Amino acid sequence: MQKITVIGTGYVGLIAGLGFAKWGNEVVCLDVIPEKIQKLQQGICPIYEPGAEVQLSDGLTSGRLRFTCDVKEAVEHGELIFIAVGTPEAPDGSADMKYVYSAVDEIADYMQSYKLVVDKSTVPVGTARALKERMAIRLARLGKDIPFDVASNPEFLREGRAVGDFNNPDRIVLGVFSEEAERRLRTLYKVFSRSNKPIVVTTPETAEMIKYASNAFLATKITFINEIANLCEQVGANALEVAAAMGKDGRISPKFLHPGPGYGGSCFPKDTKALADTGVKYNAPLTVVESVIAANERQKQRAARKVMSRFPEGGTIALLGLSFKPETDDIRESPAIAQALMESGRFDLRLYDPKAMENTKAALGENHPEIVWCTSLADAVRNADAIVLATEWGEFSTLDFVRLKAEMAQPILFDLRNIYHKEEVTAFGFEHYGTGV
């Protein structure tokens, strides 16, 4: 058992804290929002993530997991302190590091013994070295002669599958400056020794680059197949068949080859921009990544234009799916097209999502006369001129088209995620608009 502190109870920090506690460690999670900490102590999970609420309950019941706003308590507790605070996009596209720097300063202020400070946030290359220097300077100013280490241990969690990913990772990346840091982190992750999960030990700079490069490559793959899909629409090819055949090539694989309205979420948009910004700063421009960013923005706009071109005079749209992907309530950078249709001023919107309704209300504001906040799929489609399937929730994969046709004003489906084959839909007398088909 190790004593672990996790600073930040956002997506990464909370899932890490739950996982470390499950492995038998004594974990304290720190956050600056009292209301959030109070709910977590009561077993109320602030995010929707399958499996998280069960692990939260188990951790609290076992006594291995607790939450606090007390910085001094949190710093004194942890022998390993994981920084998992946000690194949002700054106005210039770079990563805003103020929360990471603040966390390191507080660690230096309150530490009284050796600490291994582990950066789990997604940060620009060179951050671990900068944090090490910053801590050394601050400790010296405080007159503290205390040894410490800094390391990088990036996360590779998929929203909607984060609990499973944390407990069954493809690989574990450890960026370390010292043998002591490596030893302590290997001890923490020895839970995976029987399953032979690969542990990649490298420099902190390389670890930081691995995270950015991985996300940028996946974003590139998504954008590539979207642009191929757009071309397929123009030349009469079927993008789904193209993607399926491509995916059978072992060098390519079928993963992330799904045409749609563009990538979103908390990672890909900001991470691609931060990586491109790093390339500019170091005079090594990443032109492919820069093109991916621009193409993804065009793809999101293209989805809205499909609806607008079919309804030049406006209409009533049932928008099914508001989160950027299924199994999460995260709407950050969601390619769902509610905002674009609202701004056109031509549409009445009936919105529904199994989990993201509250987050969407908070983002858009509840007081919009053109929006009806629906409580079910059936409520959303009633008297609608068209359905827009924007997120591939399982609930949307078994639509009763006979019943829908009777309840809708017009039988039109914009299947932006290609959940259904065109022939399957048109057989019921529906107009079908997919992506690349």
Side-chain angles (χ1 to χ4, degrees):
M1 182 191 76
Q2 297 196 66
K3 290 187 175 182
I4 295 173
T5 291
V6 179
I7 300 178
T9 59
Y11 212 94
V12 174
L14 180 59
I15 298 301
L18 298 179
F20 291 146
K22 178 184 178 180
W23 300 347
N25 299 292
E26 187 177 332
V27 180
V28 170
C29 293
L30 171 70
D31 207 291
V32 297
I33 305 174
E35 296 82 4
K36 190 177 186 182
I37 292 299
Q38 184 179 10
K39 287 183 177 181
L40 285 165
Q41 287 282 44
Q42 295 170 351
I44 302 173
C45 195
I47 60 173
Y48 174 73
E49 178 65 35
E53 198 162 281
V54 173
Q55 282 200 5
L56 174 59
S57 176
D58 291 347
L60 293 171
T61 301
S62 69
R64 294 192 299 268
L65 178 66
R66 68 180 192 272
F67 300 88
T68 185
C69 288
D70 188 328
V71 178
K72 183 174 184 293
E73 173 195 356
V75 173
E76 289 180 349
H77 167 83
E79 298 166 349
L80 279 70
I81 302 180
F82 286 82
I83 297 175
V85 297
T87 54
E89 180 186 342
D92 64 356
S94 64
D96 188 341
M97 297 294 293
K98 62 186 176 186
Y99 302 115
V100 175
Y101 293 145
S102 177
V104 166
D105 291 345
E106 289 179 334
I107 294 169
D109 291 345
Y110 289 103
M111 63 186 284
Q112 299 298 327
S113 59
Y114 172 88
K115 305 292 180 185
L116 170 54
V117 179
V118 186
D119 197 351
K120 209 157 186 61
S121 300
T122 301
V123 294
V125 178
T127 295
R129 193 170 298 276
L131 296 183
K132 183 179 179 183
E133 294 173 359
R134 187 182 182 98
M135 280 193 69
I137 292 170
R138 195 170 183 92
L139 287 170
R141 288 176 178 171
L142 294 170
K144 294 182 178 181
D145 185 16
I146 303 173
F148 71 93
D149 274 306
V150 174
S152 176
N153 175 214
E155 54 82 18
F156 299 94
L157 306 179
R158 295 169 294 175
E159 292 192 47
R161 300 181 182 180
V163 171
D165 286 346
F166 192 86
N167 290 290
N168 186 33
D170 290 326
R171 76 288 201 193
I172 300 152
V173 176
L174 307 178
V176 297
F177 290 109
S178 70
E179 292 182 358
E180 177 63 14
E182 179 183 345
R183 183 189 69 79
R184 288 176 179 260
L185 287 170
R186 281 188 178 276
T187 299
L188 174 64
Y189 287 110
K190 70 179 180 181
V191 65
F192 296 121
S193 59
R194 287 185 179 180
S195 54
N196 293 317
K197 295 296 180 184
I199 296 179
V200 179
V201 180
T202 184
T203 66
E205 287 84 358
T206 302
E208 291 159 347
M209 183 59 80
I210 289 170
K211 169 63 177 179
Y212 272 118
S214 297
N215 278 1
F217 182 80
L218 295 175
T220 300
K221 198 171 181 182
I222 292 170
T223 304
F224 177 83
I225 198 60
N226 282 341
E227 294 212 312
I228 290 295
N230 297 343
L231 179 58
C232 284
E233 288 185 11
Q234 299 303 313
V235 302
N238 187 306
L240 302 183
E241 295 176 1
V242 170
M246 288 174 60
K248 296 184 185 303
D249 188 322
R251 298 167 300 174
I252 297 174
S253 94
K255 294 182 178 179
F256 288 82
L257 284 182
H258 306 288
Y263 61 76
S266 62
C267 295
F268 287 3
K270 75 177 182 64
D271 291 354
T272 50
K273 291 175 184 176
L275 183 60
D277 178 74
T278 300
V280 171
K281 288 180 178 177
Y282 286 88
N283 197 29
L286 300 169
T287 55
V288 171
V289 178
E290 291 169 353
S291 296
V292 165
I293 295 167
N296 191 62
E297 289 304 311
R298 290 194 298 271
Q299 191 72 11
K300 289 194 280 188
Q301 295 164 10
R302 182 184 176 89
R305 287 199 302 272
K306 280 190 175 185
V307 179
M308 294 180 188
S309 62
R310 177 58 182 79
F311 292 96
E313 303 301 322
T316 299
I317 304 297
L319 180 55
L320 305 183
L322 303 169
S323 59
F324 83 97
K325 63 181 291 188
E327 300 302 331
T328 179
D329 59 358
D330 193 345
I331 64 168
R332 286 175 288 183
E333 298 283 346
S334 175
I337 61 176
Q339 187 71 46
L341 296 180
M342 280 176 58
E343 291 173 354
S344 74
R346 307 201 308 259
F347 294 92
D348 292 321
L349 302 178
R350 302 180 66 83
L351 306 185
Y352 173 68
D353 187 283
K355 295 296 180 181
M357 296 296 286
E358 293 305 314
N359 285 347
T360 306
K361 288 179 183 179
L364 296 181
E366 294 189 45
N367 299 319
H368 291 281
E370 72 274 26
I371 291 180
V372 176
W373 303 96
C374 299
T375 57
S376 68
L377 188 158
D379 184 25
V381 302
R382 192 171 296 117
N383 295 321
D385 293 306
I387 293 173
V388 174
L389 282 177
T391 311
E392 60 270 44
W393 284 96
E395 180 180 348
F396 304 154
S397 65
T398 56
L399 297 180
D400 184 342
F401 289 104
V402 174
R403 183 175 178 181
L404 289 176
K405 189 174 181 180
E407 294 183 351
M408 294 174 64
Q410 299 186 64
I412 300 173
L413 175 67
F414 292 89
D415 187 5
L416 302 181
R417 295 291 184 174
N418 294 312
I419 299 173
Y420 296 92
H421 291 293
K422 184 175 182 177
E423 294 76 11
E424 180 181 3
V425 177
T426 56
F428 292 100
F430 272 73
E431 292 181 36
H432 177 274
Y433 300 90
T435 300
V437 294

